[in-house]
Amino acid sequence: MKKVLLIVMCVGVLFLTGCGAEKEKTLKCSRTLNQSGIKMDLNYNVKYKGNYVTVVKSEEKIISDNAETLNTYKEQLEKTTQSVSKIKYYDHDIKIDGDTLTSTITIDYTKIDTDKLIEVDSSLKQLIKNGKVSVKDIKSVYSQLGVTCEE
């Protein structure tokens, strides 16, 4: 009887600790563009559990031998992200190193105030529904931008 009880308890512990827990997965998305002497490497790592995005980390690189072009892109990115820079859990870094501008954005959708994001950029209403971003919707947006994704 003790052995049966021990087996039942072990199975119960396994079920509670592992079987029912959803694991976080990562969707890797990218696109490379070459136009007018500028190369762009766009990479997005989308972490998600179940049907919903938890964190998006984007790294966009613009490569050009023209310093003025890189500075213009940097100024535009800074203007674009200025309104969201004060929102907690939206982290953005822009830097130029040699012939490469790198823009890194990390958004933690499990913690960020999505209402504030929508307030700043109303177009996000299409992506953020009930405070969440679905994996299906983010894949669709990336697809429309020519970005390919792999799991």
Side-chain angles (χ1 to χ4, degrees), residues 65-111:
D65 58 4
N66 185 325
E68 187 177 328
T69 298
L70 293 177
N71 285 322
T72 300
Y73 271 103
K74 184 176 187 220
E75 288 171 13
Q76 289 301 315
L77 286 169
E78 288 171 341
K79 284 180 187 175
T80 303
T81 59
Q82 184 178 24
S83 58
V84 292
S85 65
K86 292 181 173 87
I87 299 176
K88 262 179 121 174
Y89 308 109
Y90 185 106
D91 300 314
H92 191 212
D93 182 48
I94 307 167
K95 63 182 176 191
I96 296 175
D97 185 14
D99 66 350
T100 305
L101 178 147
T102 303
S103 169
T104 307
I105 298 173
T106 304
I107 305 170
D108 187 338
Y109 283 103
T110 65
K111 298 178 181 175

Side-chain angles (χ1 to χ4, degrees), residues 27-42:
L27 183 66
K28 294 183 181 216
C29 306
S30 63
R31 180 174 184 193
T32 301
L33 300 161
N34 288 299
Q35 62 187 107
S36 305
I38 298 170
K39 180 181 179 185
M40 293 184 183
D41 271 330
L42 312 173

Side-chain angles (χ1 to χ4, degrees), residues 103-122:
S103 169
T104 307
I105 298 173
T106 304
I107 305 170
D108 187 338
Y109 283 103
T110 65
K111 298 178 181 175
I112 198 164
D113 184 338
T114 53
D115 290 334
K116 281 186 182 178
L117 267 181
I118 292 170
E119 188 178 301
V120 169
D121 184 353
S122 62

